Amino acid sequence: MTATGSTSAPTTARRTLGSGTAALEVSALGLGCMGMSEFYGPGDEAGSLATIGAALDAGITFLDTADMYGPFTNERLVGRAIASRREEVQLATKFGNERLPDGARRVNGRPEYVRAACDASLQRLGVDVIDLYYQHRVDTTVPVEETWGAMSELVAAGKVRHLGISEAAPGTIRRAHAVHPVTALQTEWSLWTRDPEENGVLATVRELGIGFVPYSPLGRGFLSGAIRSTDDLAPDDFRRHNPRFQGENLTANLRLVDEVRALAAAKGVTASQLALAWLLAQGPDVVPIPGTRRRERLAENAGSLAVQLTGEELRHLAEVLPVGSAAGERYPDMSSVHR
């Protein structure tokens, strides 16, 4: 069963992130917009706008961006795309990965920065309220209670509806949740990155009733099977410097991808659809946000919603891609994640 055609027929699949007053209903599959502006080679504004429109037509209404993507251009792109369709969209953006005029970056969780960053994002997006506002990275120089106190004030002011946190450790998640209910935790999770299953993050959010939004659910495109060497990447693609895409790590990881491709072929789906279906099968509180600039890839990803994995297939995937099987670190510098 392959589903790589048109996305014109909308899906009604919905899931809920968070619980109680923090609950936010979103499409079961989201769209990560980061790569439309940066990191994965040259952008295509017209194509990206068309892809976002096609996503909304298909019922994929949970859109993910951040102020630092571009930098500062991805929010404007998303804002233009949704200007006439705002009520259809569950809009998520982030602050905290501050990009400075000289090109440097720093993690910033100071309350005054939280407030200024939110106002700037609202202006770039052209909206009155953000549905889900994430702390993008945790600032270890500022108590998370102070950052979240400022974020809670944004909710009280009507500028933000729900709050989330990204790449946070279990203890940090608990501290933030004690200040204001956390709706969603966003962290890398895929068949290629199984860390949340062993570091306590998944167990913590489920204990607290927090939704899980996996970013890079296709392993930065690697699980699609389309990347066999760094020659397949654009010269300015950041994956060229990612440890998992280099040398012996790449060779070892290609063997893992070949396992995914083999099972997908046997099932009559694509490798990407199989990888997304695996995440969707992990629980109704999981909402992956695969990113793409291309409508054909959007359609392929949407097809994962129709893929049902059997218990035997899930066990086989657990055997051939166990926790810790990927070779190499997720980032060249892991110092800003899992704090």
Side-chain angles (χ1 to χ4, degrees):
M1 158 190 158
T2 305
T4 57
S6 171
T7 54
S8 58
T11 176
T12 58
R14 308 286 288 179
R15 293 191 169 188
T16 300
L17 298 171
S19 56
T21 58
L24 172 64
E25 185 182 276
V26 300
S27 53
L29 199 68
L31 176 63
C33 299
M34 178 188 80
M36 295 177 178
S37 299
E38 195 180 14
F39 300 110
Y40 294 117
D44 174 3
E45 182 171 324
S48 295
L49 290 170
T51 295
I52 294 173
L56 300 183
D57 291 343
I60 298 173
T61 56
F62 183 38
L63 305 182
D64 184 271
T65 181
D67 56 3
M68 63 91 69
Y69 300 159
F72 314 119
T73 58
N74 195 245
E75 286 181 323
R76 293 189 181 98
L77 174 72
V78 172
R80 287 194 293 276
I82 68 172
S84 63
R85 308 179 68 171
R86 175 65 182 98
E87 296 309 310
E88 300 175 48
V89 175
Q90 300 83 56
L91 179 61
T93 192
K94 315 176 195 74
F95 77 92
N97 254 334
E98 186 180 12
R99 297 180 75 161
L100 304 175
D102 63 359
R105 304 185 193 184
R106 68 180 176 189
V107 176
N108 192 341
R110 290 176 293 133
E112 61 271 24
Y113 180 71
V114 175
R115 292 186 281 267
C118 180
D119 288 343
S121 286
L122 287 167
Q123 183 177 40
R124 283 189 292 267
L125 289 161
V127 299
D128 297 323
V129 62
I130 296 163
D131 297 307
L132 179 58
Y133 198 44
Y134 289 101
Q135 182 178 9
H136 203 166
R137 292 291 186 271
V138 176
D139 185 349
T140 57
T141 69
V142 178
V144 73
E145 290 83 0
E146 292 186 16
T147 303
W148 274 68
M151 293 170 69
S152 183
E153 291 172 5
L154 297 175
V155 177
K159 296 180 179 182
V160 171
R161 291 193 172 108
H162 301 279
L163 303 179
I165 196 166
S166 178
E167 289 286 3
T172 305
I173 297 168
R174 291 182 186 279
R175 289 168 59 193
H177 192 67
V179 175
H180 186 98
V182 180
T183 292
L185 177 283
Q186 185 177 131
T187 289
E188 187 172 353
W189 189 21
S190 70
L191 278 168
W192 203 30
T193 298
R194 306 284 298 278
D195 305 16
E197 300 168 56
E198 64 173 355
N199 61 20
V201 168
L202 181 60
T204 299
V205 298
R206 288 195 160 149
E207 176 192 335
L208 299 176
I210 298 169
F212 201 117
V213 178
Y215 74 82
S216 295
L218 296 176
R220 308 184 193 283
F222 193 69
L223 289 172
S224 70
I227 301 169
R228 306 299 294 183
S229 80
T230 53
D231 292 337
D232 295 323
L233 305 173
D236 59 345
D237 192 310
F238 94 104
R239 289 171 292 185
R240 285 179 171 269
H241 307 288
N242 187 295
R244 291 190 174 182
F245 289 81
Q246 296 177 350
E248 294 180 358
N249 288 341
L250 178 62
T251 301
N253 289 328
L254 284 170
R255 289 194 289 268
L256 299 179
V257 171
D258 288 341
E259 294 283 359
V260 177
R261 295 174 67 192
L263 182 55
K267 195 171 178 65
V269 300
T270 70
S272 294
Q273 288 169 342
L274 183 76
L276 291 172
W278 178 83
L279 269 174
L280 290 164
Q282 301 308 303
D285 55 347
V286 178
V287 180
I289 51 168
T292 184
R293 294 186 292 238
R294 299 164 58 186
R295 279 171 285 179
E296 59 268 32
R297 290 288 173 258
L298 174 74
E300 179 183 354
N301 293 342
S304 66
L305 293 164
V307 178
Q308 297 294 319
L309 297 177
T310 66
E312 181 179 348
E313 289 166 338
L314 290 169
R315 284 190 293 274
H316 178 64
L317 283 168
E319 290 173 2
V320 298
L321 283 91
V323 174
S325 58
E329 295 283 6
R330 295 192 285 129
Y331 291 100
D333 177 8
M334 291 287 289
S335 64
S336 69
V337 302
H338 198 236
R339 294 177 166 186

